[in-house]
Amino acid sequence: MNNAASILLLVFLAITFIQSGYDKLFYWKDNLDWLKKHFAKTRLKNLVPLALLHILVLELISGILCVVGCIELLVSNERTFGLYGAVFSSITLLMLLFGQRLAKDYDGARTIVIYFIPAIMAVYWLN
């Protein structure tokens, strides 16, 4: 198991983003209603549905790339898809962080940093 740490990080990111994407996909209205209130006093207030769709797509891409990256590491010891998954995960988290900061939700922003650290570690190890 030469790649145990990388595989574990990719599994962590895959679980994070596939579950979050699932939640957004199957509970769209609940998420949209909450986010409209969350961003009501920001410049994003009229863009919430489009932003939510954008984040949903990025989360699903991130999660799927991380799953494929795990399989690729296990089967052929290659890192390409895992690196793409880690990079997409990092970009997605930066977008979420931007939204939280814009909404002045500093506790939410702090929580995103907790996810960002393993994502950056994965980028570093898989690069």
Side-chain angles (χ1 to χ4, degrees):
M1 263 290 180
N2 295 335
N3 300 307
S6 296
I7 290 169
L8 290 170
L9 282 173
L10 289 172
V11 169
F12 172 81
L13 293 170
I15 290 168
T16 298
F17 287 113
I18 290 172
Q19 186 282 324
S20 185
Y22 172 88
D23 183 66
K24 286 174 180 61
L25 191 61
F26 290 99
Y27 301 97
W28 177 267
K29 185 178 178 341
D30 295 337
N31 279 282
L32 189 59
D33 290 344
W34 185 84
L35 288 168
K36 282 183 178 179
K37 291 175 191 163
H38 191 65
F39 290 103
K41 297 178 182 177
T42 72
R43 289 179 264 151
L44 293 179
K45 66 182 173 192
N46 296 324
L47 299 173
V48 171
L50 182 60
L52 182 59
L53 178 62
H54 189 87
I55 291 296
L56 167 63
V57 169
L58 284 173
E59 286 181 342
L60 291 176
I61 290 170
S62 298
I64 290 166
L65 284 171
C66 288
V67 168
V68 174
C70 284
I71 295 167
E72 182 185 42
L73 269 171
L74 289 168
V75 171
S76 64
N77 208 33
E78 291 292 322
R79 300 167 174 263
T80 306
F81 284 96
L83 177 60
Y84 291 156
V87 169
F88 266 84
S89 296
S90 298
I91 291 168
T92 303
L93 289 164
L94 287 171
M95 294 177 77
L96 291 169
L97 178 69
F98 175 76
Q100 295 294 64
R101 297 290 299 185
L102 197 63
K104 296 185 182 349
D105 181 357
Y106 301 115
D107 287 333
R110 190 174 319 128
T111 301
I112 291 169
V113 172
I114 294 168
Y115 290 92
F116 188 66
I117 293 167
I120 290 300
M121 288 172 59
V123 171
Y124 180 76
W125 285 339
L126 292 165
N127 196 7

